Each structure stands twice: as C-alpha cells, then as structure tokens.
Amino acid sequence: MERESMEYDVVIVGAGPAGLSTACKLKQLNEEITVCVVEKGSEVGAHILSGAVIEPRAMDELFPNWKELGAPLNVPVKGDEVYFLTSDTKASKVPHFGIPKPMHNDGNYIVSLGNVCRWLGEQAEGLGVEIYPGFAAAEVLFHEDGRVKGVATGDMGVSHSGEQKASYQPGFELHAKYTIFSEGCRGHLGKELIKKFNLDAGKDPQHYGIGIKELWDIDPAKHQEGLVVHGAGWPLAENGATGGFFLYHTENNQVVVGLITDLNYDNPYLSPFDEFQRMKHHPLFADTLEGGKRVSYGARAVIKGGLHSLPKMTFPGGLLIGCDAGTLNFSKIKGTHTAMKSGMLAAEAIAEGLAQENAPAELTGFTTKFESSWVYDELFRSRNFGAAMHKFGTFIGAAFNFIDQNIFNGKLPVNLHDTTPDYACIKPAANFSPINYPKPDGKLSFDKLGSVFLSNTNHEEDQPCHLKLADADIPIKVNLEKWAEPAQRYCPAGVYEVMDNEDGSKRFQINAQNCVHCKTCDIKDPSQNITWVVPEGTGGPNYPNM
C-alpha cells in the first residue's frame, strides 16, 4: 500500500528540549518556514525523564521573557550539597570549596523537564509549528543520491505475527528539505544515521549511564524547597561500579530521588534498579523519605561520552542534535541547556540554508556555529570528566576532576580517552558471586513490576515486538552461559526473563509491554544482539511531572 506524504521545509523527530527549541527558533527567525514535529509519546512530555536541575542560559536566549510567559521554572536552587557515601550508614559531606566548579548550581532551577517540554510545545504551536504526538518516526527516507528525504511513521494496527488487523492504518511519509533528529539518548534513527554516514569516525565510543528516578510526596516538616543534593560512593562502589545519586527538593512538598549507574560496570550480577532501591535505605535518603509516599517512577539512559565521543552532527539532508548526538555536559550532570542551544544553532543554520537560492545539501555552516558557541566551550572544558571517573574510579577520579576544573578551569593540558564500549566492559559471571539484594520493604524500596505500574507504561499487546533479537539463540546459548544473561538485571522494568521449560531447558522471555523506553538493553547487551525500535505511536510510559 502506497503511503500518503506531506511536505515541509523542516521535519523534526522528537519533541524534547532540542527539537522544540529548533522549532521555536526557526519560527522566530522566519515565520514562513513550515515546520513539523513528530513525537512518539502520547503527548509532548509523556516520555521526558530527567532529574532535573536546569541551567537557564539557553532559555534566556530563546525566550528572554520566559518568566512573564509562565515557563515552569518555579524553584530556584537555594542550597547545594555533595556527599560521598562511605558505607550503608555513613556519609562524608564535601566542603563547598572542594566541589568541582561545574557542579555548583547557583542561578539554576529544579524543574520537571516533562513540564518544561509541555510549555515549549505550547510556545512552538503558538508560533505556528505543527506538532503530532502519538506518531513514532520508524524509518529514515532517502533520496536516490543518498540525501535524507524525511521520515516515515510506523504502521498502526499490525498484529504480533505481522498481519494487518481490522484497525490497520499505514504510516505516512513526511518529506522535508532538512530533517532534524532530536530523539534523545540512543535514538534509534540517530544510531542508524551515525552508522550510515560514518559520523563517529575517529571518535571515542559513546558512553552511557542508566538513570532511575522516583517522585515522592514527603512530610512538609522535612521539605526544604530548593535544596539540591548530589553524591557518589555506596552502594555502587561496593560492587566496583561508578555513578552518582541526586535528591532534589522541588515544589509542593515533593522530592525527586534518583541514581545514575555508569553502564561501563563489569559485574554481570549487578542490578542498577536494586542498587537504587538499596540506596534509599541509607540515612541520607531515609531520613527524608520515611513517612512519605512514592508517586511516580521512571528510567532512561543518559548519554555522557562528551566531546571525545561527539559524532559529526551534519549529513546530507539533516542534522543530529541534543542527546541524540551527545551534547550533555556530564561534568554538570546537565544536558537541557546544551540540547536547547544545539537546536537553536541548528535553526540558524537551517534558516540561512533555506534563504539561499539553492539550499545546500549539507548544512556545514552548523559546525562552524557549534564550534564557536558556548556549548562547545563547555564540552571542551569537561572533556576529561567522564573518562577520569571511568579510569580512576569515584574517589581518585573526583580528585582529578577537582584539579582539572577548579585549578585549571577545564584546560589541563591532558586529554583522557575511554576507548572501551560500555557493553564490552562486562566480565564473565564465573569471575563473580551473585549479589543477594534484600527484598523490598514496600516503604522505601519496591519491586520492578510495581514500579513500572507507577510509570503508567502501556503498549498495545498485539503488535510486533519492538525489542529485536538479531539471533534468538544468543540469550540462552551465549549470554546465559557466559554472563548469566545480564538483561534480567540491567533492565529496570522487568522486560527480560529467563524461564524454565517443562523439559528442564531454558527460554528467554521478552515482556515488551513493560518497556519504559530507557534503551539500556540496546546499549549494555554484551553480545549487541538487542536492537530497540519504536513500537506503535503512543506506546510506552506516560510520565506526569517527571
């Protein structure tokens, strides 16, 4: 069946901070430019998950009057604390002067990034941008000469076996002079484009973490609106892993608590979800959370390779921006302001290209704009941050970063590289003993399925599985034997299980309905056998205030 098509000047894939900033800036520069945004979530913001403390620098540039316009940046940071957890009961507070400069949060705001994106979507629509939530971009379209032509949305109403149901609706094609990919971390189309155009040639492998977050209502007597707490150490350090935690006191007597586990860990028995549940029993968190109520849960991969892992962002017919490319500044643990700015720079390059009589196939001018911007300067100054933590561990890595950031202002004449992909860091299960995680108490710690329920995750059950195995035999024949099939543990949503058959053999079960679209499986599978693709539009989590 031939698909219907629509023509635009610019098509943007993903209604996150980068994509929406591109759309808004384009209309500010030239209201005649036709712009379409497609978003796989049921609404703008439904799939957005971040800590989040936002630096308003890019927002100030995009909408200088954002306060008057009602942007949901309501909680300025009033306190900033950093701790090293040295055991399950002890913590050491880092003196303010000892914190790396990029981690200071003066002038920043605690936000729900989902709500910020909802607001940006309203601004974009007010400027004349067409936004289509619930439509998942499933395929990149190409011209005969190899230029990107646009995208096709996924078909709806296809059964698990691939047959057309009574509700079948074919996807449609969106054609554009330029197509912008802003899908967020590990975007599946961005991943395809990086490979097709060899955009990562000469770059370090990209690196990631898995961020798990909960939103809590707490006792008003314990609430300190505007307090930001970060730190590292226990429990991850106990199992040789690195990462960091956060606890933010937001508005309405709520806090957000989370843990980012670096995905370069080597122990296949480690479970980031269970590490997070265990962490909340430390007095630093328990004293705040006890007596409260958990109201939401979510998980999302975090891109953190930085400048040395940043691919070329231009290709014929389009651009790769924001976390789809990897613009997050990991030394600040922030990517919203850099994603927004990358989108604004993309808009400038696009507007200039469209203004030419013969619009160039590739917007090479974007690279010049990017490399002369404050985003590039930030990424350059923080280029060693993640590699130092990976190479030297939490404590020595932190000391290196203090010297680099506070004494040399990010210009230490050293370039640290981390050339081992995260999936290749995992070691055979025979080198480790299984980790016996405590059972959840239902007060501070919880199980996976109850957590997924709080994420409002839902997928049409009778549809093709969106978690594709290149070889269906590998999970049992290779991964189980060598690594005790770590998918059972690295997935924070209970998607993957190893089940017993009646004859005593094992089978690999995929519970795709549970998937919260975090992309961890696509990143961490040691055989690189799992590929995440988009399910039917509107499928996945529906995060409120996350």
Side-chain angles (χ1 to χ4, degrees):
M1 183 182 293
E2 187 173 342
R3 294 180 294 205
E4 294 183 12
S5 65
M6 297 193 295
E7 300 280 344
Y8 293 91
D9 292 321
V10 181
V11 166
I12 298 169
V13 180
L20 292 171
S21 295
T22 306
C24 291
K25 188 65 176 178
L26 277 167
K27 285 295 191 177
Q28 289 174 347
L29 291 169
N30 183 349
E31 62 182 13
E32 299 301 319
I33 295 173
T34 57
V35 183
C36 169
V37 179
V38 286
E39 164 57 38
K40 65 183 175 66
S42 60
E43 64 169 352
V44 173
H47 288 178
I48 298 293
L49 180 75
S50 182
V53 173
I54 185 174
E55 183 174 312
R57 185 173 187 178
M59 186 70 80
D60 290 339
E61 294 181 12
L62 185 60
F63 292 107
N65 60 334
W66 58 262
K67 290 184 180 180
E68 290 76 12
L69 292 172
L73 280 68
N74 303 322
V75 182
V77 175
K78 297 174 184 175
D80 213 354
E81 299 176 356
V82 175
Y83 292 85
F84 279 119
L85 303 189
T86 54
S87 74
D88 60 350
T89 59
K90 296 180 180 179
S92 178
K93 186 175 181 180
V94 179
H96 195 67
F97 69 83
I99 301 171
K101 285 181 180 178
M103 293 186 68
H104 292 181
N105 285 291
D106 299 336
N108 295 337
Y109 293 81
I110 302 171
V111 302
S112 157
L113 189 57
N115 289 341
V116 171
C117 288
R118 290 179 179 96
W119 180 85
L120 283 171
E122 292 170 1
Q123 307 312 304
E125 288 183 318
L127 289 165
V129 175
E130 294 181 27
I131 301 180
Y132 297 109
F135 290 92
E139 178 188 354
V140 182
L141 304 174
F142 297 94
H143 290 284
E144 290 185 2
D145 63 2
R147 286 179 297 130
V148 169
K149 182 180 182 179
V151 294
T153 64
D155 295 342
M156 306 281 278
V158 178
S159 72
H160 186 78
S161 59
E163 298 172 350
Q164 295 179 8
K165 297 185 291 187
S167 59
Y168 176 75
Q169 291 182 326
F172 55 87
E173 297 188 358
L174 296 167
H175 301 163
K177 297 181 177 70
Y178 298 111
T179 307
I180 312 306
F181 295 85
S182 53
E183 307 160 280
C185 175
R186 193 73 167 193
H188 84 290
L189 298 182
K191 177 183 168 185
E192 175 187 327
L193 290 163
I194 289 170
K195 182 177 181 180
K196 178 178 177 62
F197 291 109
N198 202 23
L199 301 178
D200 57 355
K203 302 292 185 174
D204 289 356
Q206 190 56 264
H207 297 286
Y208 304 87
I210 170 63
I212 302 175
K213 171 187 173 180
E214 293 175 349
L215 176 65
W216 284 67
D217 291 331
I218 65 166
D219 181 348
K222 299 179 179 180
H223 190 246
Q224 303 177 62
E225 185 174 299
L227 175 62
V228 166
V229 179
H230 286 120
W234 185 89
L236 291 175
E238 192 171 270
N239 290 307
T242 57
F245 59 77
F246 56 91
L247 177 67
Y248 304 152
H249 289 247
T250 184
E251 56 194 328
N252 301 321
N253 296 316
Q254 290 188 322
V255 297
V256 293
V257 57
L259 176 67
I260 297 174
T261 302
D262 295 340
L263 286 178
N264 70 328
Y265 66 81
D266 60 2
N267 186 341
Y269 290 112
L270 186 130
S271 164
F273 175 88
D274 291 297
E275 294 288 314
F276 172 52
Q277 299 305 319
R278 190 161 67 126
M279 182 195 82
K280 288 180 290 176
H281 286 273
H282 191 285
L284 184 68
F285 306 97
D287 289 349
T288 297
L289 301 177
E290 283 177 343
K293 180 184 178 182
R294 187 177 71 144
V295 295
S296 193
Y297 165 87
R300 186 70 170 93
V302 180
I303 198 163
K304 61 186 193 63
L307 187 65
H308 293 318
S309 301
L310 191 69
K312 182 172 179 278
M313 297 167 70
T314 68
F315 47 85
L319 287 165
L320 198 64
I321 61 171
C323 285
D324 214 352
T327 59
L328 181 139
N329 181 344
F330 193 58
S331 70
K332 289 184 174 182
I333 328 174
K334 293 176 183 63
T336 301
H337 67 298
T338 53
M340 290 179 67
K341 182 62 175 178
S342 73
M344 293 152 65
L345 294 168
E348 292 175 6
I350 294 165
E352 290 173 6
L354 292 174
Q356 297 180 38
E357 186 172 343
N358 294 307
E362 185 165 348
L363 293 166
T364 54
F366 169 83
T367 303
T368 303
K369 291 178 181 292
F370 185 80
E371 292 182 350
S372 60
S373 72
W374 54 257
V375 177
Y376 186 88
D377 181 64
E378 274 197 23
L379 295 180
F380 176 81
R381 291 172 187 266
S382 66
R383 68 196 182 283
N384 293 322
F385 196 93
M389 301 301 285
H390 285 188
K391 285 178 175 290
F392 307 136
T394 299
F395 297 102
I396 297 176
F400 174 92
N401 284 323
F402 174 82
I403 294 169
D404 185 21
Q405 299 296 321
N406 290 33
I407 298 176
F408 287 89
N409 204 25
K411 294 187 176 181
L412 190 70
V414 172
N415 286 304
L416 299 181
H417 293 271
D418 185 350
T419 57
T420 304
D422 292 335
Y423 70 85
C425 293
I426 205 161
K427 295 179 180 177
N431 296 4
F432 304 90
S433 298
I435 301 171
N436 294 315
Y437 289 105
K439 291 184 178 180
D441 66 358
K443 298 177 181 178
L444 292 176
S445 49
F446 306 89
D447 63 17
K448 284 185 180 179
L449 294 185
S451 299
V452 172
F453 177 79
L454 280 184
S455 71
N456 301 307
T457 294
N458 186 56
H459 296 87
E460 169 61 42
E461 188 171 2
D462 187 18
Q463 66 170 296
C465 180
H466 68 279
L467 301 159
K468 306 294 186 182
L469 300 181
D471 185 337
D473 292 332
I474 281 179
I476 300 301
K477 291 186 176 180
V478 179
N479 287 4
L480 183 61
E481 182 175 332
K482 187 172 183 179
W483 296 292
E485 187 42 275
Q488 305 172 86
R489 292 171 291 277
Y490 61 58
C491 173
V495 170
Y496 302 102
E497 294 182 280
V498 175
M499 310 294 288
D500 293 316
N501 292 320
E502 290 183 3
D503 63 1
S505 62
K506 304 286 186 180
R507 75 177 189 277
F508 190 61
Q509 181 166 301
I510 301 177
N511 306 309
Q513 272 194 294
N514 290 1
C515 179
V516 295
H517 299 194
C518 74
K519 314 291 182 67
T520 305
C521 55
D522 194 299
I523 297 163
K524 188 59 176 174
D525 175 39
S527 295
Q528 289 295 276
N529 187 49
I530 302 174
T531 298
W532 189 99
V533 301
V534 289
E536 283 191 1
T538 75
N542 280 280
Y543 292 133
N545 302 318
M546 291 287 273

